[in-house]
Amino acid sequence: MKKILIVIGTRPEAIKMAPVYLELKEAEDLQPYILSTGQHIELLDEALSTFGLKADFRLDIMKEAQTLAYLTSALAEGLGRLYSEIAPDTVLVHGDTTTTLMGALMAFYMRIPVMHVEAGLRSDNRFEPFPEEINRRLVDQMADVLFPPTPMAKARIYEEKPEVVDIFTTGNTVVDALMWVKENKLEAIPLHKELKPKEYILLTAHRRENWGEPLRNIYKAVKHIVRETGLKVVYPVHPNPRVKNIAYDELGNVDGVILTEPMDYMSFLKHMSEARIVLSDSGGVQEEAPSFGVPVVLLRRVTERPEGVRTGHIVLAGTDTDTIVEKTLQMLNKKLPAYNPFGDGLAARRIADYIRYFLKLSTEKPDEWVISYE
Ligand code: UD1
Ligand code: UDP
């Protein structure tokens, strides 16, 4: 049995790696384990529990308003120790968080093969998203196998002429995750009692580069949109105090704006599926909304997910108040193509098949995910 260690630390990593774990578990010659670094606690545990999963190994490092320096050093020490104890054959990391970076770096230092799920995303701006853009570039340098979600991400990797030759396009595993949730009775989940289908906007905003003034500009735009359209806004607020404090300060007592705790994944997808439009600076949300035909106004100036911009599912608005209002009004009645440009729900299967091929447990090279955006 080959030991595959899935290293996750935050909510999106849990959601996007849960389907991979479930698929690896099906293989008789692979033994997957989940290591939760503790970068997030409640958010990650909640996301895993949606899929009936729990971490097999844990670090306990989260602190209130933790700094990047603290996180990085705590992860280096903790992961180095756990990798020695567990002795995995392969480490799987996802995306671009501090957990991703340190999960890959510690494995590289210990000469454990690293595979990077959701490789090849690039915004071409080192500070947006910060520090994620640099994290993913560095991890793509260290990994032995790269799993870009889309052909565009794969092409970006080739442009950089990497040393690694194992590059395999999979589709984004978030589409697998949301299809799993849909099949598990999304209809039965209630909407917030003050909301009616298609009469509200779903908002998420938490990115580090938006802390402070940009968040305040976003919130100003939200107030304006509520007044102008009569739509409500529901905003599950990220627990980070640097976000939460400003959110309650600016939007806590505004008619038509509903602030909630972070929603569990099923409930969040339910609120996305019935929303008229989504305003967000999130990564994963950009990839999910197309599955429900809901437009995304992206609260960022650049995106590493150009596929959705090309198909019209996503429009870039940045964080200027007037631009957000203008783009939101434009997107309100937008008809969208009825497919998701980020994945087809079979990404985890492809990843599991490729891992077996890479580890020489199978001689059959699986087929990559193919999609055209023309
Ligand atoms: C991190 C990731 C970001 C990802 C986001 C997903 C990095 C650099 N950033 O940012 O890429 O989009 O997660 O949400 O890795 N907190 C809790 N409970 C939780 C989780 C967080 O209270 O379950 C609070 C803590 O006070 C913590 C703070 O949020 O210190 C920030 O968490 P951190 O992981 O450092 O940054 P995020 O902004 O969540
Ligand atoms: N999400 C959730 N509950 C919430 C908000 C988001 O389950 O209240 C999910 C969402 O569906 C997506 C993921 O969390 O899959 C996005 O996480 P986040 O925005 O924290 O990180 P990012 O994707 O920006 O890295």
Side-chain angles (χ1 to χ4, degrees), residues 11-12 15 174 204 206-207 236 238 262-265 268-269 281-285 288:
R11 169 172 64 192
I15 291 168
V174 83
T204 82
H206 67 84
R207 294 237 81 79
H238 195 285
M263 293 182 189
D264 64 71
Y265 189 47
F268 185 74
L269 286 187
D281 65 2
S282 157
V285 168
E288 291 165 335

Side-chain angles (χ1 to χ4, degrees), residues 35 37 58-61 69-85 102-103 105-106 109-110:
L35 188 168
T37 63
R58 312 180 73 96
L59 294 170
D60 182 19
I61 59 168
Y70 159 75
L71 256 184
T72 305
S73 60
L75 287 168
E77 190 281 320
L79 284 173
R81 184 165 41 76
L82 276 188
Y83 286 177
S84 298
E85 283 168 27
M102 297 312 289
L105 184 64
M106 289 304 119
Y109 284 170
M110 296 171 76

Side-chain angles (χ1 to χ4, degrees), residues 39-43 63 65-66 97-98 132 206-207 238:
Q39 177 174 342
H40 286 182
I41 298 178
E42 312 90 288
L43 290 186
K63 281 189 187 170
Q66 59 208 4
T97 69
T98 309
E132 290 84 356
H206 67 84
R207 294 237 81 79
H238 195 285

Side-chain angles (χ1 to χ4, degrees), residues 343-359:
D344 64 348
L346 298 172
R349 169 84 52 83
R350 292 190 189 95
I351 289 169
D353 288 347
Y354 197 84
I355 289 175
R356 294 191 69 252
Y357 173 74
F358 180 82
L359 295 175

